């Protein structure tokens, strides 16, 4: 009977392990709830093989879904970030937020699709998982899908924006989807925003002749007021950034030379 219960426990654990891979849950979900202490936990080779097999199946299923509209996104990302299309595709199908791409393509779907490319902590391939969730890790560049609200932004943001509520297809993706890059290397967000607006958006807006229902394009007073406001905002942004960069820097001072001759309370009062 005890053997029967043990077998059932193993099956339950294995089910939890496989379900964790499918849902993209953290690796800690693979460990038994009773695990305590700080010693390293090494998964069995059989479990590792099973997890790798399941992960491979999921990736191949996603790879089979890749069509021309996905390839359009992959191509733009590769050109903008400086990776190969193979690297971008592999990052996308390995991402636990892969489903957001389909939500972006759907009619009346997500209005934006964000990708961060920046240094993240990656577990070393031979690192063992500890019971407290810590591992030996190192910083490594990674491209990943994000909602933009949970991860700190320290590198490059590549974004896709929809221009209508229409379903995105292979034939209309290049017309319905806009692409852009927002570079904030080393976390310099204000500098990145200033560069994006002044060097990319403003030249593009000032060269645009078609403003939809607004007639006369750049000659229209409302368009001129809008461009003036954007220009003024860029100037204010630049001033704010410079003020922050020129903020007061406090330096460490060796006070020993000031207090070495203080011997009694009256010396301290005089010094004060």
């Amino acid at each position: 009977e005890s053997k029967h219960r043990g077998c059932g426990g193993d099956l339950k654990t294995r089910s939890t392990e496989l379900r964790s891979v499918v849902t993209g849950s953290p690796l800690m979900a693979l460990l038994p709830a009773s695990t305590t202490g700080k010693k390293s936990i090494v998964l069995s080779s059989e479990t590792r093989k099973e997890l790798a097999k399941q992960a491979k199946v999921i990736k191949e299923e996603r790879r089979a879904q890749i069509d021309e509209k996905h390839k359009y996104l992959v191509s733009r990302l590769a050109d903008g970030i400086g990776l190969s299309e193979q690297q971008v595709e592999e990052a996308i199908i390995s991402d636990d937020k892969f489903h957001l791409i389909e939500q972006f393509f759907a009619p009346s779907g997500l209005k934006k699709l964000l990708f961060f490319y920046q240094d993240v902590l990656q577990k070393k391939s031979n690192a063992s998982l500890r019971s407290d969730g810590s591992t030996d890790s190192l910083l490594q560049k990674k491209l990943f899908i994000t909602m933009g609200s949970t991860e700190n932004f320290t590198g490059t943001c590549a974004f896709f924006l929809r221009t209508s509520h229409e379903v995105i297809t292979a034939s209309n993706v290049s017309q319905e989807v806009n692409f852009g890059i927002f570079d904030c290397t080393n976390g310099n967000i204000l500098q990145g925003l200033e560069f994006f607006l002044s060097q990319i958006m403003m030249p593009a807006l000032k060269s645009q002749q078609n403003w939809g229902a607004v007639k006369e394009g750049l000659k229209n007073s409302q368009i001129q007021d809008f461009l003036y406001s954007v220009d003024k905002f860029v100037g204010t942004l630049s001033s704010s950034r410079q003020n922050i960069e020129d903020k007061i820097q406090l330096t460490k001072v060796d006070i020993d030379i000031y207090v070495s001759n203080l011997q009694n309370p009256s010396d301290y009062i005089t010094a004060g």
Side-chain angles (χ1 to χ4, degrees), residues 157-159 161 179-184 188-205 230 233-234 237:
C157 174
F159 58 86
L161 304 176
F179 172 68
I181 290 285
F182 187 33
D183 187 5
C184 296
N188 295 323
I189 296 179
L190 289 183
Q191 184 175 343
L193 179 58
E194 179 188 341
F195 179 85
F196 176 75
L197 292 175
S198 63
Q199 303 300 316
I200 299 175
M201 290 304 299
M202 284 303 294
L205 291 172
V230 177
F233 174 72
V234 173
L237 185 64

Side-chain angles (χ1 to χ4, degrees), residues 12-252:
K12 184 177 180 180
T13 301
R14 180 61 53 80
S15 176
T16 301
E17 292 170 349
L18 300 184
R19 190 163 58 249
S20 298
V21 174
V22 173
T23 59
S25 299
L27 192 55
M28 278 302 293
L30 305 180
L31 300 178
S34 59
T35 301
T36 58
K38 299 296 183 180
K39 64 180 181 180
S40 298
I41 303 298
V42 180
L43 299 177
S44 69
S45 59
E46 180 183 354
T47 300
R48 289 180 180 275
K49 289 179 181 178
E50 198 66 48
L51 296 176
K53 180 180 178 181
Q54 291 295 321
K56 183 177 180 181
V57 169
I58 292 173
K59 287 171 63 175
E60 291 310 312
E61 288 176 350
R62 291 173 175 176
R63 198 187 306 276
Q65 298 177 36
I66 300 294
D67 60 16
E68 291 304 316
K69 60 182 181 290
H70 293 83
K71 290 181 180 179
Y72 177 82
L73 304 188
V74 169
S75 176
R76 298 286 77 77
L77 287 169
D79 290 342
I81 295 177
L83 298 174
S84 69
E85 293 188 4
Q86 290 76 17
Q87 288 174 309
V88 173
E89 181 176 311
E90 189 67 22
I92 287 175
I93 64 174
S94 302
D95 201 301
D96 61 359
K97 294 186 178 68
F98 179 82
H99 62 281
L100 294 181
I101 299 178
E102 291 306 317
Q103 293 180 20
F104 179 72
F105 289 149
S108 300
L110 294 176
K111 295 302 180 184
K112 65 180 184 296
L113 184 63
L114 304 179
F115 292 81
F116 283 178
Y117 181 60
Q118 60 193 27
D119 286 331
V120 296
L121 283 174
Q122 299 282 345
K123 293 187 292 290
K124 295 179 181 179
S125 58
N126 61 346
S128 58
L129 179 66
R130 297 180 176 86
S131 58
D132 61 355
S134 64
T135 58
D136 294 328
S137 55
L138 70 164
L139 284 175
Q140 186 175 340
K141 287 280 190 182
K142 182 181 179 182
L143 175 68
F144 58 94
I145 305 170
T146 177
M147 292 297 292
S149 57
T150 54
E151 297 89 0
N152 291 331
F153 178 34
T154 60
T156 299
C157 174
F159 58 86
F160 295 93
L161 304 176
R162 291 171 57 111
T163 59
S164 75
H165 296 289
E166 300 293 325
V167 59
I168 305 300
T169 66
S171 59
N172 71 5
V173 62
S174 60
Q175 290 78 39
E176 296 290 339
V177 174
N178 291 325
F179 172 68
I181 290 285
F182 187 33
D183 187 5
C184 296
T185 304
N186 298 323
N188 295 323
I189 296 179
L190 289 183
Q191 184 175 343
L193 179 58
E194 179 188 341
F195 179 85
F196 176 75
L197 292 175
S198 63
Q199 303 300 316
I200 299 175
M201 290 304 299
M202 284 303 294
L205 291 172
K206 290 179 178 179
S207 66
Q208 182 166 309
Q209 297 301 319
N210 181 13
W211 289 79
V214 178
K215 305 300 181 183
E216 298 182 343
L218 295 176
K219 296 180 181 180
N220 185 279
S221 60
Q222 292 178 315
I223 299 300
Q224 292 175 354
D225 289 343
F226 168 70
L227 294 178
Y228 171 77
S229 298
V230 177
D231 236 342
K232 186 176 180 180
F233 174 72
V234 173
T236 302
L237 185 64
S238 178
S239 297
S240 300
R241 177 184 57 81
Q242 292 177 27
N243 289 337
I244 292 175
E245 291 176 352
D246 294 337
K247 63 183 181 296
I248 296 175
Q249 298 290 333
L250 299 179
T251 58
K252 184 177 180 180

Side-chain angles (χ1 to χ4, degrees), residues 255-256 258-272:
I255 64 172
D256 288 345
Y258 299 104
V259 300
S260 58
N261 294 323
L262 301 179
Q263 304 296 329
N264 53 58
S266 61
D267 292 334
Y268 286 91
I269 295 174
T270 303

